[in-house]
Amino acid sequence: MNVIDALQNRISANKYDSGEVLSKDDIHYLVTAALEAPSAYNIQHTRFLAVTDAGAKAALRAVSYNQAKISEAAVTFIVLADLQGHTVLPVIAQRGVEAGVFGDEAGQGMVNAANSVYDGN
């Protein structure tokens, strides 16, 4: 099974070939694929940190309940969230309006809903 098939079939691997190495192109390809996942209000407010350095993975393992998979995987991804991502939603909503996906009222409704969820949280 290739990596994309594994992602699409939502398996969770716990054992890795610690000798495997992924190229920067492979890592970029994986992150690009992950960015296609849906997000709240289509904000796409996730960021990915790819950790390949053995020392850094060992430090992560130490604070991750000593899970072997943290240091054995060819790359360990840290998924981060842009806590201010909702502030770009007016631009995203306007693109939807301009593309004819939804009207002004629906776009403003999305912005208002996101602001009520994210502002101050």
Side-chain angles (χ1 to χ4, degrees):
M1 174 182 300
N2 70 39
V3 174
I4 300 305
D5 287 341
L7 288 171
Q8 291 171 341
N9 290 303
R10 298 178 186 209
I11 67 163
S12 180
N14 287 308
K15 302 284 184 192
Y16 296 92
D17 178 353
S18 60
E20 187 68 31
V21 176
L22 292 179
S23 70
K24 286 184 179 183
D25 286 342
D26 289 338
I27 294 168
H28 183 264
Y29 182 68
L30 290 171
V31 170
T32 300
L35 288 171
E36 295 299 319
S39 68
Y41 304 101
N42 205 30
I43 297 171
Q44 301 306 105
H45 49 321
T46 51
R47 304 295 181 264
F48 296 87
L49 178 61
V51 181
T52 57
D53 178 78
K57 289 193 291 184
L60 285 172
R61 180 177 174 165
V63 296
S64 300
Y65 302 103
N66 201 34
Q67 296 176 79
K69 61 186 171 183
I70 302 295
S71 59
E72 292 174 357
V75 59
T76 298
F77 290 101
I78 299 172
V79 182
L80 307 164
D82 177 356
L83 297 178
Q84 297 303 312
H86 70 286
T87 63
V88 299
L89 191 53
V91 173
I92 296 168
Q94 185 58 39
R95 289 180 188 154
V97 170
E98 290 170 2
V101 175
F102 43 78
D104 285 322
E105 189 173 313
Q108 189 57 50
M110 285 176 30
V111 170
N112 293 342
N115 286 337
S116 72
V117 170
Y118 290 107
D119 277 346
N121 290 326

